[in-house]
Every structure is written in C-alpha cells, then in structure tokens.
Amino acid sequence: MVEEAEVVVLGAGVAGLTAAWLLKERGLRVRVVAQGLGEASRSPVALVNPLRGKRFTLANRGEEALEAALRFYGRFVPLHLGVYRPVPEGERGKVASRLGGLRHAWDEGGVWLEEAFWLEPRPLLAKLSEGLALLRARVLAWEPPYLWLEGGGRIRGEVLVYAGGGQGAHLLGLEGWHIPGLVLLLLDYFPRAISYRVYLAGSALGGSYLPHRSDPEAPPPTEGEVEWLLRGAEDLLGYRPRVASAWRGVRFRLDRPASPKGTDLPYLFPVEGGFALTGLGSTGFLYAPLLAERLAEALG
C-alpha cells in the first residue's frame, strides 16, 4: 500500500513542523514523516536573537526573520520578550551601527533587544505536531516521488521537502558539520535572557564549546565544557549558578551554501523531487518561520 499526499515533509524538528503547518494552512494536503520530534530542536530553551555572537553581527534578514518568528510562535506558546546583550566598553558605537531597525534600549553595560525572545521548544513542537498528520517511521531512501520506509512501505508526495537536519542528510548526499552544544539546567531562574558568549534564560545555561564534528553522534559532556559554561555565567552574573542536570544537542550546518548564487539565505533550496530546508545550525528557531513562508509562496 502506498500513501499519498500533496506535500510530504521529512523531519519533525522546528523547521519541518513549521513548514508543514504553514503549507497546511495554504490548503495543501501535508504529511510529515519522522522517527520522532526533532531531537536537535528539543533543547530546554531556544533563544531567538538576530544579533549574533561576540561580534554582534546582525543576522542576514534578521529583522524580517524576527518579525516572522514573533508572528508564528506567538500563536502556540508564550514568548518571553527581551534579550539583554552586555557590550564591552569601547564597542558601543560599533554595536549601535549594527542594530539596524531592531527595537532596543541602552543601559549602562549593554543593549536590551526588546523584541528578541526565548521560548520553550518542547511545548511548541508538541502543539505543532498535534495539528498535523504525522507518520512515525524511519526513511531508508529518497527516490522522488517516493520515500521508502523501513519495513517496505512507501509514501508518495507530489512535492517532497527534506527538513531532517543532519541525521538524514546522507539520503540526499548533503554534507556538513555537526555542532555539539550543552545546556545546564539550573536551580535558579532567569526571566530576562542574557547572552554574551553563553546564554542564560529561564532555568537554562547554554553554549557551544566543542569543535564541529563530521558525525551526528552527541559526545558526553566534558568537565572542561561544564567549567567553560559556569565561568561564562559567572562573568555575566557575578556568581556561579547551581546546576541540577544537563542536556546535550547536536545541530547541523551545511558544509557550503547549497543555494543558487545571489540567494540571501542558503538554507532553503531546490533538490530532486522538491526542496530542502536544512543546515540552519543555531539559527533554526530564528529562520524557520521566514523560510517556511518562502516555501509556501514557492509552492503557490
């Protein structure tokens, strides 16, 4: 027996579920296929912040992406508005020139991004998946218009969308790097997100310390990694927060831009049988709604 849909989305992380939801709202028959809700998207906290890194770089299309994220995620879960970015002495002018049209306010030690926010991904993914036709299965092959499933089944889509991140990238021959990140769950609670090298939001202290890897397997936390996070938190707070437990995740970043030359965001591009929406790394929650809107427009 072959199941059919107008659009079949492979992957149930934030990119896949967001795309599937918006396509469904356009009136398309959508089927999501995944082994489970995307592991890399199930971190305790997701920071949606278009002002990136220690260099304070405004993400490409960052303002537009933030607007799309506010519009979409706010329909499903509470958004904790505001991210505080400490700014080292002497860099305020440089940072001010990079803020673009982001709503912000300055205080003595840094800049408050008024519409950047954090959310809890697990309730978001659960809410999104409840409204979609989700088939839990392992995909063995991408052979448009079919996905071949473990056990011999097939699912046919007029359009296939790959949103599986690094775990299934081999199905399309996509190459990239896997970025391990660690989140420490704290006994303290921080309603106001703070981000500089590491981030604190809610009960989470997180950051990426280890070098990129060539495989998606998550290494166990190391003492050096935990110490690095706690040192970063101490720099921001003046003390070390108390740790309750830890969560490890691995994000996927494409080896090189896979989109045609001149395309502003390299994470949505045509592939045989449809499109790929993947390789977003740590920007997944920022860009997923904007790219899903673009995918919906491309499919008419």
Side-chain angles (χ1 to χ4, degrees), residues 265-295:
L265 296 174
Y267 315 115
L268 176 64
F269 51 95
V271 294
E272 183 186 2
F275 293 86
L277 173 52
T278 190
L280 288 86
S282 62
T283 62
F285 280 86
L286 173 63
Y287 283 129
L290 175 61
L291 292 171
E293 288 176 0
R294 291 187 177 186
L295 175 62

PDB file of all heavy atoms in Angstrom, residues 265-295:
ATOM      1  N   LEU A 265      19.569  33.576   1.739  1.00  0.00           N
ATOM      2  CA  LEU A 265      19.636  32.581   2.813  1.00  0.00           C
ATOM      3  C   LEU A 265      19.857  31.207   2.184  1.00  0.00           C
ATOM      4  O   LEU A 265      19.046  30.767   1.370  1.00  0.00           O
ATOM      5  CB  LEU A 265      18.349  32.596   3.639  1.00  0.00           C
ATOM      6  CG  LEU A 265      18.052  33.890   4.405  1.00  0.00           C
ATOM      7  CD1 LEU A 265      16.680  33.834   5.056  1.00  0.00           C
ATOM      8  CD2 LEU A 265      19.127  34.159   5.450  1.00  0.00           C
ATOM      9  N   PRO A 266      20.923  30.515   2.555  1.00  0.00           N
ATOM     10  CA  PRO A 266      21.283  29.277   1.866  1.00  0.00           C
ATOM     11  C   PRO A 266      20.599  28.027   2.408  1.00  0.00           C
ATOM     12  O   PRO A 266      20.992  26.919   2.062  1.00  0.00           O
ATOM     13  CB  PRO A 266      22.798  29.195   2.110  1.00  0.00           C
ATOM     14  CG  PRO A 266      22.978  29.818   3.452  1.00  0.00           C
ATOM     15  CD  PRO A 266      21.952  30.930   3.522  1.00  0.00           C
ATOM     16  N   TYR A 267      19.589  28.183   3.241  1.00  0.00           N
ATOM     17  CA  TYR A 267      19.018  27.032   3.939  1.00  0.00           C
ATOM     18  C   TYR A 267      17.787  26.451   3.264  1.00  0.00           C
ATOM     19  O   TYR A 267      17.315  25.387   3.655  1.00  0.00           O
ATOM     20  CB  TYR A 267      18.655  27.423   5.377  1.00  0.00           C
ATOM     21  CG  TYR A 267      19.736  28.219   6.057  1.00  0.00           C
ATOM     22  CD1 TYR A 267      19.536  29.539   6.436  1.00  0.00           C
ATOM     23  CD2 TYR A 267      20.986  27.636   6.308  1.00  0.00           C
ATOM     24  CE1 TYR A 267      20.536  30.266   7.053  1.00  0.00           C
ATOM     25  CE2 TYR A 267      21.993  28.359   6.922  1.00  0.00           C
ATOM     26  CZ  TYR A 267      21.767  29.674   7.289  1.00  0.00           C
ATOM     27  OH  TYR A 267      22.762  30.401   7.887  1.00  0.00           O
ATOM     28  N   LEU A 268      17.241  27.135   2.270  1.00  0.00           N
ATOM     29  CA  LEU A 268      16.098  26.643   1.504  1.00  0.00           C
ATOM     30  C   LEU A 268      16.504  26.608   0.045  1.00  0.00           C
ATOM     31  O   LEU A 268      16.835  27.643  -0.534  1.00  0.00           O
ATOM     32  CB  LEU A 268      14.885  27.558   1.707  1.00  0.00           C
ATOM     33  CG  LEU A 268      13.632  27.220   0.870  1.00  0.00           C
ATOM     34  CD1 LEU A 268      13.068  25.860   1.239  1.00  0.00           C
ATOM     35  CD2 LEU A 268      12.567  28.313   1.036  1.00  0.00           C
ATOM     36  N   PHE A 269      16.499  25.423  -0.551  1.00  0.00           N
ATOM     37  CA  PHE A 269      16.971  25.303  -1.928  1.00  0.00           C
ATOM     38  C   PHE A 269      16.316  24.093  -2.601  1.00  0.00           C
ATOM     39  O   PHE A 269      15.890  23.143  -1.930  1.00  0.00           O
ATOM     40  CB  PHE A 269      18.500  25.169  -1.965  1.00  0.00           C
ATOM     41  CG  PHE A 269      19.066  24.109  -1.059  1.00  0.00           C
ATOM     42  CD1 PHE A 269      19.336  22.829  -1.524  1.00  0.00           C
ATOM     43  CD2 PHE A 269      19.344  24.397   0.275  1.00  0.00           C
ATOM     44  CE1 PHE A 269      19.865  21.852  -0.690  1.00  0.00           C
ATOM     45  CE2 PHE A 269      19.878  23.425   1.121  1.00  0.00           C
ATOM     46  CZ  PHE A 269      20.135  22.153   0.642  1.00  0.00           C
ATOM     47  N   PRO A 270      16.211  24.140  -3.934  1.00  0.00           N
ATOM     48  CA  PRO A 270      15.586  23.019  -4.646  1.00  0.00           C
ATOM     49  C   PRO A 270      16.488  21.793  -4.667  1.00  0.00           C
ATOM     50  O   PRO A 270      17.712  21.897  -4.754  1.00  0.00           O
ATOM     51  CB  PRO A 270      15.376  23.580  -6.058  1.00  0.00           C
ATOM     52  CG  PRO A 270      16.344  24.701  -6.189  1.00  0.00           C
ATOM     53  CD  PRO A 270      16.558  25.261  -4.822  1.00  0.00           C
ATOM     54  N   VAL A 271      15.850  20.627  -4.575  1.00  0.00           N
ATOM     55  CA  VAL A 271      16.527  19.338  -4.723  1.00  0.00           C
ATOM     56  C   VAL A 271      15.642  18.473  -5.609  1.00  0.00           C
ATOM     57  O   VAL A 271      14.508  18.858  -5.936  1.00  0.00           O
ATOM     58  CB  VAL A 271      16.759  18.646  -3.356  1.00  0.00           C
ATOM     59  CG1 VAL A 271      17.741  19.426  -2.501  1.00  0.00           C
ATOM     60  CG2 VAL A 271      15.436  18.442  -2.616  1.00  0.00           C
ATOM     61  N   GLU A 272      16.143  17.326  -5.996  1.00  0.00           N
ATOM     62  CA  GLU A 272      15.346  16.431  -6.823  1.00  0.00           C
ATOM     63  C   GLU A 272      14.049  16.068  -6.099  1.00  0.00           C
ATOM     64  O   GLU A 272      14.063  15.589  -4.969  1.00  0.00           O
ATOM     65  CB  GLU A 272      16.125  15.152  -7.128  1.00  0.00           C
ATOM     66  CG  GLU A 272      15.374  14.206  -8.057  1.00  0.00           C
ATOM     67  CD  GLU A 272      16.080  12.873  -8.243  1.00  0.00           C
ATOM     68  OE1 GLU A 272      17.138  12.661  -7.630  1.00  0.00           O
ATOM     69  OE2 GLU A 272      15.542  12.048  -9.005  1.00  0.00           O
ATOM     70  N   GLY A 273      12.934  16.344  -6.740  1.00  0.00           N
ATOM     71  CA  GLY A 273      11.638  15.993  -6.172  1.00  0.00           C
ATOM     72  C   GLY A 273      11.017  17.059  -5.306  1.00  0.00           C
ATOM     73  O   GLY A 273       9.885  16.887  -4.848  1.00  0.00           O
ATOM     74  N   GLY A 274      11.731  18.164  -5.043  1.00  0.00           N
ATOM     75  CA  GLY A 274      11.129  19.179  -4.172  1.00  0.00           C
ATOM     76  C   GLY A 274      12.141  20.172  -3.641  1.00  0.00           C
ATOM     77  O   GLY A 274      12.901  20.780  -4.401  1.00  0.00           O
ATOM     78  N   PHE A 275      12.205  20.301  -2.310  1.00  0.00           N
ATOM     79  CA  PHE A 275      13.040  21.295  -1.668  1.00  0.00           C
ATOM     80  C   PHE A 275      13.713  20.706  -0.438  1.00  0.00           C
ATOM     81  O   PHE A 275      13.226  19.742   0.155  1.00  0.00           O
ATOM     82  CB  PHE A 275      12.200  22.503  -1.219  1.00  0.00           C
ATOM     83  CG  PHE A 275      11.621  23.299  -2.354  1.00  0.00           C
ATOM     84  CD1 PHE A 275      10.411  22.945  -2.922  1.00  0.00           C
ATOM     85  CD2 PHE A 275      12.299  24.403  -2.856  1.00  0.00           C
ATOM     86  CE1 PHE A 275       9.873  23.666  -3.967  1.00  0.00           C
ATOM     87  CE2 PHE A 275      11.774  25.136  -3.907  1.00  0.00           C
ATOM     88  CZ  PHE A 275      10.565  24.772  -4.456  1.00  0.00           C
ATOM     89  N   ALA A 276      14.835  21.320  -0.059  1.00  0.00           N
ATOM     90  CA  ALA A 276      15.467  21.037   1.228  1.00  0.00           C
ATOM     91  C   ALA A 276      15.400  22.300   2.066  1.00  0.00           C
ATOM     92  O   ALA A 276      15.582  23.409   1.574  1.00  0.00           O
ATOM     93  CB  ALA A 276      16.916  20.602   1.047  1.00  0.00           C
ATOM     94  N   LEU A 277      15.114  22.120   3.343  1.00  0.00           N
ATOM     95  CA  LEU A 277      15.105  23.195   4.329  1.00  0.00           C
ATOM     96  C   LEU A 277      15.935  22.687   5.500  1.00  0.00           C
ATOM     97  O   LEU A 277      15.451  22.000   6.391  1.00  0.00           O
ATOM     98  CB  LEU A 277      13.668  23.510   4.753  1.00  0.00           C
ATOM     99  CG  LEU A 277      13.439  24.488   5.898  1.00  0.00           C
ATOM    100  CD1 LEU A 277      14.182  25.791   5.681  1.00  0.00           C
ATOM    101  CD2 LEU A 277      11.958  24.746   6.084  1.00  0.00           C
ATOM    102  N   THR A 278      17.231  22.996   5.483  1.00  0.00           N
ATOM    103  CA  THR A 278      18.129  22.325   6.410  1.00  0.00           C
ATOM    104  C   THR A 278      19.436  23.094   6.548  1.00  0.00           C
ATOM    105  O   THR A 278      19.696  24.051   5.817  1.00  0.00           O
ATOM    106  CB  THR A 278      18.412  20.887   5.914  1.00  0.00           C
ATOM    107  OG1 THR A 278      19.091  20.159   6.942  1.00  0.00           O
ATOM    108  CG2 THR A 278      19.249  20.868   4.647  1.00  0.00           C
ATOM    109  N   GLY A 279      20.264  22.667   7.509  1.00  0.00           N
ATOM    110  CA  GLY A 279      21.595  23.229   7.681  1.00  0.00           C
ATOM    111  C   GLY A 279      21.623  24.547   8.424  1.00  0.00           C
ATOM    112  O   GLY A 279      22.585  25.302   8.319  1.00  0.00           O
ATOM    113  N   LEU A 280      20.603  24.842   9.239  1.00  0.00           N
ATOM    114  CA  LEU A 280      20.485  26.139   9.876  1.00  0.00           C
ATOM    115  C   LEU A 280      21.372  26.310  11.106  1.00  0.00           C
ATOM    116  O   LEU A 280      21.541  27.416  11.602  1.00  0.00           O
ATOM    117  CB  LEU A 280      19.023  26.407  10.268  1.00  0.00           C
ATOM    118  CG  LEU A 280      18.073  26.699   9.114  1.00  0.00           C
ATOM    119  CD1 LEU A 280      17.517  25.424   8.514  1.00  0.00           C
ATOM    120  CD2 LEU A 280      16.914  27.553   9.585  1.00  0.00           C
ATOM    121  N   GLY A 281      21.917  25.222  11.641  1.00  0.00           N
ATOM    122  CA  GLY A 281      22.754  25.334  12.821  1.00  0.00           C
ATOM    123  C   GLY A 281      21.992  25.959  13.975  1.00  0.00           C
ATOM    124  O   GLY A 281      20.852  25.599  14.265  1.00  0.00           O
ATOM    125  N   SER A 282      22.596  26.952  14.628  1.00  0.00           N
ATOM    126  CA  SER A 282      21.978  27.568  15.802  1.00  0.00           C
ATOM    127  C   SER A 282      20.914  28.603  15.436  1.00  0.00           C
ATOM    128  O   SER A 282      20.302  29.194  16.325  1.00  0.00           O
ATOM    129  CB  SER A 282      23.044  28.230  16.678  1.00  0.00           C
ATOM    130  OG  SER A 282      23.703  29.268  15.967  1.00  0.00           O
ATOM    131  N   THR A 283      20.686  28.833  14.138  1.00  0.00           N
ATOM    132  CA  THR A 283      19.700  29.838  13.725  1.00  0.00           C
ATOM    133  C   THR A 283      18.346  29.220  13.372  1.00  0.00           C
ATOM    134  O   THR A 283      17.483  29.898  12.812  1.00  0.00           O
ATOM    135  CB  THR A 283      20.212  30.650  12.513  1.00  0.00           C
ATOM    136  OG1 THR A 283      20.402  29.770  11.398  1.00  0.00           O
ATOM    137  CG2 THR A 283      21.512  31.358  12.835  1.00  0.00           C
ATOM    138  N   GLY A 284      18.137  27.946  13.708  1.00  0.00           N
ATOM    139  CA  GLY A 284      16.917  27.259  13.300  1.00  0.00           C
ATOM    140  C   GLY A 284      15.640  27.948  13.758  1.00  0.00           C
ATOM    141  O   GLY A 284      14.707  28.138  12.978  1.00  0.00           O
ATOM    142  N   PHE A 285      15.565  28.310  15.037  1.00  0.00           N
ATOM    143  CA  PHE A 285      14.343  28.917  15.551  1.00  0.00           C
ATOM    144  C   PHE A 285      14.163  30.337  15.021  1.00  0.00           C
ATOM    145  O   PHE A 285      13.042  30.818  14.911  1.00  0.00           O
ATOM    146  CB  PHE A 285      14.338  28.897  17.079  1.00  0.00           C
ATOM    147  CG  PHE A 285      13.945  27.566  17.649  1.00  0.00           C
ATOM    148  CD1 PHE A 285      14.891  26.569  17.849  1.00  0.00           C
ATOM    149  CD2 PHE A 285      12.624  27.301  17.957  1.00  0.00           C
ATOM    150  CE1 PHE A 285      14.525  25.336  18.354  1.00  0.00           C
ATOM    151  CE2 PHE A 285      12.243  26.064  18.463  1.00  0.00           C
ATOM    152  CZ  PHE A 285      13.190  25.074  18.667  1.00  0.00           C
ATOM    153  N   LEU A 286      15.253  31.022  14.703  1.00  0.00           N
ATOM    154  CA  LEU A 286      15.141  32.359  14.134  1.00  0.00           C
ATOM    155  C   LEU A 286      14.576  32.308  12.720  1.00  0.00           C
ATOM    156  O   LEU A 286      13.647  33.054  12.372  1.00  0.00           O
ATOM    157  CB  LEU A 286      16.510  33.040  14.127  1.00  0.00           C
ATOM    158  CG  LEU A 286      16.598  34.402  13.406  1.00  0.00           C
ATOM    159  CD1 LEU A 286      15.710  35.441  14.085  1.00  0.00           C
ATOM    160  CD2 LEU A 286      18.047  34.876  13.324  1.00  0.00           C
ATOM    161  N   TYR A 287      15.112  31.428  11.877  1.00  0.00           N
ATOM    162  CA  TYR A 287      14.778  31.450  10.454  1.00  0.00           C
ATOM    163  C   TYR A 287      13.618  30.544  10.040  1.00  0.00           C
ATOM    164  O   TYR A 287      13.068  30.720   8.951  1.00  0.00           O
ATOM    165  CB  TYR A 287      16.002  31.058   9.633  1.00  0.00           C
ATOM    166  CG  TYR A 287      17.043  32.136   9.495  1.00  0.00           C
ATOM    167  CD1 TYR A 287      18.379  31.885   9.793  1.00  0.00           C
ATOM    168  CD2 TYR A 287      16.706  33.406   9.042  1.00  0.00           C
ATOM    169  CE1 TYR A 287      19.358  32.860   9.654  1.00  0.00           C
ATOM    170  CE2 TYR A 287      17.660  34.394   8.902  1.00  0.00           C
ATOM    171  CZ  TYR A 287      18.990  34.119   9.201  1.00  0.00           C
ATOM    172  OH  TYR A 287      19.940  35.098   9.065  1.00  0.00           O
ATOM    173  N   ALA A 288      13.238  29.565  10.855  1.00  0.00           N
ATOM    174  CA  ALA A 288      12.250  28.577  10.402  1.00  0.00           C
ATOM    175  C   ALA A 288      10.952  29.207   9.903  1.00  0.00           C
ATOM    176  O   ALA A 288      10.468  28.855   8.815  1.00  0.00           O
ATOM    177  CB  ALA A 288      11.967  27.562  11.510  1.00  0.00           C
ATOM    178  N   PRO A 289      10.320  30.154  10.610  1.00  0.00           N
ATOM    179  CA  PRO A 289       9.067  30.711  10.082  1.00  0.00           C
ATOM    180  C   PRO A 289       9.241  31.496   8.784  1.00  0.00           C
ATOM    181  O   PRO A 289       8.408  31.395   7.884  1.00  0.00           O
ATOM    182  CB  PRO A 289       8.573  31.613  11.223  1.00  0.00           C
ATOM    183  CG  PRO A 289       9.191  31.020  12.463  1.00  0.00           C
ATOM    184  CD  PRO A 289      10.552  30.576  12.016  1.00  0.00           C
ATOM    185  N   LEU A 290      10.297  32.287   8.678  1.00  0.00           N
ATOM    186  CA  LEU A 290      10.520  33.049   7.454  1.00  0.00           C
ATOM    187  C   LEU A 290      10.741  32.115   6.271  1.00  0.00           C
ATOM    188  O   LEU A 290      10.158  32.303   5.182  1.00  0.00           O
ATOM    189  CB  LEU A 290      11.726  33.978   7.622  1.00  0.00           C
ATOM    190  CG  LEU A 290      12.149  34.765   6.378  1.00  0.00           C
ATOM    191  CD1 LEU A 290      11.028  35.690   5.911  1.00  0.00           C
ATOM    192  CD2 LEU A 290      13.424  35.552   6.646  1.00  0.00           C
ATOM    193  N   LEU A 291      11.555  31.084   6.442  1.00  0.00           N
ATOM    194  CA  LEU A 291      11.817  30.158   5.343  1.00  0.00           C
ATOM    195  C   LEU A 291      10.573  29.332   5.014  1.00  0.00           C
ATOM    196  O   LEU A 291      10.331  29.014   3.847  1.00  0.00           O
ATOM    197  CB  LEU A 291      12.976  29.249   5.714  1.00  0.00           C
ATOM    198  CG  LEU A 291      14.336  29.970   5.823  1.00  0.00           C
ATOM    199  CD1 LEU A 291      15.389  29.041   6.404  1.00  0.00           C
ATOM    200  CD2 LEU A 291      14.786  30.494   4.469  1.00  0.00           C
ATOM    201  N   ALA A 292       9.785  28.996   6.028  1.00  0.00           N
ATOM    202  CA  ALA A 292       8.540  28.259   5.763  1.00  0.00           C
ATOM    203  C   ALA A 292       7.583  29.126   4.952  1.00  0.00           C
ATOM    204  O   ALA A 292       6.876  28.624   4.071  1.00  0.00           O
ATOM    205  CB  ALA A 292       7.903  27.831   7.082  1.00  0.00           C
ATOM    206  N   GLU A 293       7.524  30.430   5.246  1.00  0.00           N
ATOM    207  CA  GLU A 293       6.684  31.332   4.452  1.00  0.00           C
ATOM    208  C   GLU A 293       7.162  31.365   3.002  1.00  0.00           C
ATOM    209  O   GLU A 293       6.361  31.344   2.060  1.00  0.00           O
ATOM    210  CB  GLU A 293       6.721  32.746   5.045  1.00  0.00           C
ATOM    211  CG  GLU A 293       5.966  32.878   6.366  1.00  0.00           C
ATOM    212  CD  GLU A 293       6.104  34.270   6.965  1.00  0.00           C
ATOM    213  OE1 GLU A 293       6.779  35.126   6.354  1.00  0.00           O
ATOM    214  OE2 GLU A 293       5.532  34.493   8.055  1.00  0.00           O
ATOM    215  N   ARG A 294       8.476  31.395   2.800  1.00  0.00           N
ATOM    216  CA  ARG A 294       9.017  31.406   1.435  1.00  0.00           C
ATOM    217  C   ARG A 294       8.711  30.104   0.705  1.00  0.00           C
ATOM    218  O   ARG A 294       8.396  30.110  -0.499  1.00  0.00           O
ATOM    219  CB  ARG A 294      10.520  31.642   1.484  1.00  0.00           C
ATOM    220  CG  ARG A 294      10.909  33.048   1.933  1.00  0.00           C
ATOM    221  CD  ARG A 294      12.388  33.268   1.802  1.00  0.00           C
ATOM    222  NE  ARG A 294      12.754  34.633   2.165  1.00  0.00           N
ATOM    223  CZ  ARG A 294      13.984  35.124   2.032  1.00  0.00           C
ATOM    224  NH1 ARG A 294      14.948  34.364   1.552  1.00  0.00           N
ATOM    225  NH2 ARG A 294      14.247  36.369   2.396  1.00  0.00           N
ATOM    226  N   LEU A 295       8.791  28.989   1.424  1.00  0.00           N
ATOM    227  CA  LEU A 295       8.471  27.704   0.813  1.00  0.00           C
ATOM    228  C   LEU A 295       6.999  27.683   0.402  1.00  0.00           C
ATOM    229  O   LEU A 295       6.665  27.232  -0.721  1.00  0.00           O
ATOM    230  CB  LEU A 295       8.776  26.569   1.789  1.00  0.00           C
ATOM    231  CG  LEU A 295       8.387  25.159   1.327  1.00  0.00           C
ATOM    232  CD1 LEU A 295       9.159  24.764   0.080  1.00  0.00           C
ATOM    233  CD2 LEU A 295       8.645  24.147   2.451  1.00  0.00           C
TER     234      LEU A 295
END
